[in-house]
Amino acid sequence: EVSQSVPSPPFVLQPIYQGRLPVYHFDAYRLDSARDLLELGFEECDDGVVLLEWSERVLEALPPERLELRFSLLEEGRRVALSAIGPEPERLLEAVC
């Protein structure tokens, strides 16, 4: 359970939120390449949860197995689609759905 507000990081490329597990929040919008994301320490965040906005800008840096959340704007709100890529994420998704 997260008890603090988690805003979009407009000027911070990688804030960290503390909870049961650390949550690493990356925003790739201002990055020029996947190399920039890796230089921020993206691959070193394996002890918690990684949230990555604008992931389509850095696809080659994404792990082969992951859970993806896709947000779509609707007239009456937002739609969230959760998908699993790889066997372990598929098991996790089945456990929560």
Side-chain angles (χ1 to χ4, degrees):
E1 179 177 319
V2 176
S3 61
Q4 69 186 64
S5 175
V6 181
S8 179
F11 300 108
V12 180
L13 294 175
Q14 194 251 322
I16 301 170
Y17 306 101
Q18 295 302 321
R20 186 172 64 83
L21 295 173
V23 176
Y24 302 94
H25 185 184
F26 290 87
D27 187 339
Y29 183 75
R30 289 182 172 79
L31 301 181
D32 292 323
S33 68
R35 172 182 234 131
D36 291 342
L37 181 65
L38 298 175
E39 287 176 2
L40 287 172
F42 179 74
E43 291 180 312
E44 299 162 18
C45 300
D46 57 0
D47 63 334
V49 176
V50 175
L51 304 176
L52 175 61
E53 293 185 65
W54 296 92
S55 61
E56 63 273 9
R57 297 178 61 88
V58 291
L59 288 174
E60 54 275 10
L62 299 182
E65 292 198 10
R66 60 190 181 270
L67 288 172
E68 291 188 349
L69 285 165
R70 297 282 176 182
F71 292 86
S72 303
L73 291 176
L74 306 173
E75 286 184 24
E76 66 279 354
R78 294 182 184 174
R79 178 182 317 175
V80 179
L82 182 60
S83 60
I85 300 171
E88 183 60 24
E90 287 174 2
R91 281 190 287 277
L92 288 171
L93 185 56
E94 287 175 11
V96 298
C97 292

